[in-house]
Amino acid sequence: MEEPLDPPTDEAPKNLLQRVRAWAAGGGKRSAIITGVLTATMIGTVATWLLVADYAAMPEEVTLEKALAALDAGDDEAARLLVARLQDDSPDGEDYSGQLFLLGALKVRQAEAQWSPERARTEYYIASRYLSEARTVGFPEDREGLGLYLLGMSLVESRQYDSGVETILSAMAVGKTGEAKAHLLLARAYRSMPAAKHRLAVDELTAALTDNTITNEDRGLAVGMMADSLAKIGRFDEAAQYVALSTDLNPPGETELLRGKVLVAELESLVGPIDSSATPTAPSAQVRTLASQAIAALEKARRLDKLATDVTRQSDYLLGRAYELSGDEAQARDRYAELRRKHGSSPSGIAASLAEGDILRRAGDPSGLEAYRRALDAVREPVSYEGVLLSLDEVRQRLREAHQGYLSDGAYRPAITLADRLTPPLPRTEQLALRAETLRRWGDARLAEAERLAPRGRDARREGRRRLREAGVAYEQLAEARFATRAFIDDLWQASEAYADGQSYSDTARVLERYLRNEPLIRNASALLKVGQSHLSLGEARQAITAFEECLTFHSTDVAAYQARLDCAHAYLEVNNLERAIKLLNENLYDTAMTPLSPEWRDSKFALGRLLVELGRHTEAIDCLTEAIDRYPDDPQALTARYLMAESHRHASEEPLERLADAKTVNEIERARAEADQHLQRALELYKSVQDEITLATEADDLGRATLRNCYMMRGSVLFEMGRWEEAIEAYSNVTTLYQNDPFSLVTLVQISHCRRRLQDNVRARGAIEQARLLLARLPADADFATPTNLTRPEWQRLLDELVLF
């Protein structure tokens, strides 16, 4: 039901608001309507206000030009905000090169504001990435010179020196303003490179100092660098002039440090490298004068450096160097040690550790190795090394010289310890090369020592071969590291030689087979020869023959073919193909260009004689061995050749002795007897000469001792054949005396018994057998009977039991 209208009144509302209130009071629906209208009005008002406020706050359009203007004005924060807006507003890459330039330039300014050198270097590195990309895309118009300069600065400060120098030179070529700063930057780069280029630095510093735009602060820096670089290249008088100029431009402490640097550099050029093997001499008057002046300047620099900055650290190192060069190594070592203890990781501390190590190494002190280790630990990251006193290349060279010093002194253990730690700062390939060289020389030295010690050098020989095998491993690792270079082939060859000398023949063959797969031309014949030799040493005669025959087929005129024939003959001997072996040796002797002066001809001659003996062709063997001994009487093979020739003469007597037994006439008997005696007498002489040579030798190896024993025994046998029983007994008795506790003496006692029986002295014959039985009982249970005799212990027991009955 509709609500009734309010009754009219005589008093009307005074205004619109009062009328609205009065109307809304007329009922609930009217009140709800009024509330909705007011709410909508409020919402609309707020929305309108927000739109207007947003529109009012909206900045004007962002452009690259405005961002560059902010950068030029030094308002880095505004430039940073603007470039951020540009990145948001240009998703399609519009003004991309300009944005990169701005980001790089801002990073350069951030780096300049850093207090930490490491953080600054990181910021410069980031800047270099931005600016390098901007250079690739193209710097903004009229900004190429500045962009190149900032890029060059970023590269130099982040220690990318080669790229930095190239970029700064490009910046100067396009007309970069502020030439003095560019020249200074180039000079710093040249001086800070791993291989410092002081002559180029001097040229750049000269250009900077003659530039009218240079500031007094930069002039002071340039004068200091100029004096140092001139001293490094030996221009000491000019360096001293710049030290004098530094007095008015740099703090007094820095000037005195500079004076000390120049004096120490002159002192180094005068004294030269310190040789530990040379006899110490008193320093000259000039050396003493220079050292005194340097020490005075450096001590003054330390006093003036109240805050103990890098001036003090550099002065401490240079003081040590001045003392060392003047011959006072004790004082120098104290200075180095003190600096190393306080500032071991600083550039001055690293230089001090190296110098301390040099002094200790020259004195033979093993703690020198620890000093080098400290220096290496401090240069774990070569890119972060700052060459204030020593460039990175100078550090590397000092380490190489330390390693070479150990090698020269024969101190192989510290040399290998140092070599194993040299990467970084040395490249991995160089470290492996030094390790391989060290092991190679160590192994060779131990083998040479074993040769001097003769039979007592067994341990040295064993260690030497082990070191050579380790060298082979190192050369293989080096080959892998240089696989893509020409050195790969040479490294494999060095590995094969080290393995061969270390008697690791399976590794030798394996490496050489890989060598042959990768290098079909160079050293091919020698490689096949070594493969064959390796298989032959392993007892693999057939594989050896395959390699030797390939060498002879494809490289018959190569020098290696001569040795291949000789070794192939040994291989054929192993497989009982004696005719082929003889043919190969004869080819070497008669069908090649070799002469008797050739080592292979000599070895072939001796080898042929040995082979003929083995074949039982004793007359030919005697002729061959006689020629070999006559030509090469002092060759080590001559001793064995004389023994084999004695054996051939002894065996050659068997044929006339057989004829003697069958002879019917006096002439036949006399002729056969004379021929047999001739061979036996010659054998007797040869056995005696071999026996005397071995006896007179200072030391005899196992083979020599066995040969000596056989000479005694064979002389007795020859004398027995000649019927000279008393002399035979004497020869056999010598064996019994020398080997009285050896099963071999059983043989000689039996032979003595036979001689006694020929002399009809049966009592003493049985006495010799009884003596043998006593010896047999006395020999230990584990005595070796098989090697020196042909019978076992039980067989000897039965034989002696039977002989004693006669």
Side-chain angles (χ1 to χ4, degrees), residues 714-743:
M714 291 302 103
R715 285 191 69 237
S717 297
V718 170
L719 290 166
F720 185 90
E721 291 291 343
M722 296 176 75
R724 294 158 63 175
W725 319 118
E726 294 290 353
E727 294 176 69
I729 289 170
E730 183 183 353
Y732 288 134
S733 296
N734 288 332
V735 179
T736 305
T737 303
L738 290 171
Y739 306 97
Q740 53 187 322
N741 294 315
D742 192 297

Side-chain angles (χ1 to χ4, degrees), residues 661-706:
D662 297 332
K664 304 298 183 183
T665 66
V666 174
N667 286 339
E668 289 177 346
I669 292 172
E670 289 178 352
R671 191 163 48 250
R673 182 76 261 178
E675 189 176 342
D677 285 348
Q678 183 180 2
H679 282 298
L680 290 171
Q681 184 59 39
R682 183 58 180 150
L684 198 62
E685 293 169 358
L686 289 167
Y687 283 132
K688 184 67 167 63
S689 71
V690 173
Q691 175 186 313
D692 291 344
E693 184 172 341
I694 297 174
T695 303
L696 293 174
T698 305
E699 297 281 357
D701 56 15
D702 292 341
L703 178 61
R705 286 191 292 272

Side-chain angles (χ1 to χ4, degrees), residues 495-563:
S496 72
E497 291 198 319
Y499 280 135
D501 291 343
Q503 295 192 350
S504 180
Y505 299 116
S506 58
D507 286 319
T508 306
R510 173 180 56 79
V511 171
L512 284 171
E513 284 161 3
R514 186 179 185 191
Y515 177 94
L516 289 167
R517 288 196 300 270
N518 288 276
E519 176 50 71
L521 298 175
I522 301 176
R523 304 192 193 99
N524 197 270
S526 296
L528 287 167
L529 169 63
K530 288 179 177 293
V531 170
Q533 290 172 331
S534 299
H535 285 301
L536 188 58
S537 298
L538 292 168
E540 300 167 353
R542 298 196 180 279
Q543 293 94 317
I545 289 170
T546 300
F548 290 137
E549 291 288 11
E550 183 178 350
C551 177
L552 296 173
T553 300
F554 295 104
H555 309 282
S556 58
T557 59
D558 193 279
V559 174
Y562 304 142
Q563 187 65 43

Side-chain angles (χ1 to χ4, degrees), residues 261-292:
K261 281 185 177 180
V262 173
L263 290 167
V264 169
E266 188 172 358
L267 195 58
E268 287 176 331
S269 72
L270 188 63
V271 174
I274 301 175
D275 185 1
S276 58
S277 62
T279 304
T281 57
S284 66
Q286 186 179 3
V287 168
R288 291 197 301 272
T289 300
L290 279 175
S292 177

Side-chain angles (χ1 to χ4, degrees), residues 100-228:
L100 290 170
F101 170 79
L102 281 163
L103 290 169
L106 290 168
K107 275 294 177 185
V108 169
R109 292 187 180 177
Q110 277 185 273
E112 291 174 329
Q114 291 293 335
W115 61 271
S116 165
E118 287 303 313
R119 293 187 64 180
R121 186 164 65 88
T122 301
E123 297 288 351
Y124 277 120
Y125 178 77
I126 297 171
S128 73
R129 306 315 301 159
Y130 281 130
L131 293 166
S132 294
E133 184 67 17
R135 183 184 187 182
T136 302
V137 178
F139 288 116
E141 189 176 354
D142 298 328
R143 301 275 174 163
E144 183 180 3
L146 178 60
L148 289 170
Y149 176 75
L150 293 176
L151 173 57
M153 178 192 296
S154 302
L155 290 167
V156 169
E157 297 293 353
S158 59
R159 300 184 185 164
Q160 303 173 70
Y161 297 114
D162 291 331
S163 301
V165 166
E166 179 270 325
T167 306
I168 295 169
L169 290 173
S170 298
M172 296 172 72
V174 298
K176 166 70 185 71
T177 57
E179 294 292 326
K181 285 192 175 295
H183 287 299
L184 278 175
L185 196 56
L186 280 173
R188 280 187 52 223
Y190 286 133
R191 284 167 48 84
S192 301
M193 286 177 169
K197 300 177 180 178
H198 289 287
R199 295 184 187 279
L200 293 177
V202 166
D203 294 340
E204 296 301 329
L205 290 166
T206 301
L209 288 169
T210 55
D211 192 306
N212 294 329
T213 64
I214 192 169
T215 63
N216 281 337
E217 181 181 0
D218 286 344
R219 187 178 294 277
L221 290 172
V223 164
M225 288 192 288
M226 179 70 91
D228 186 36

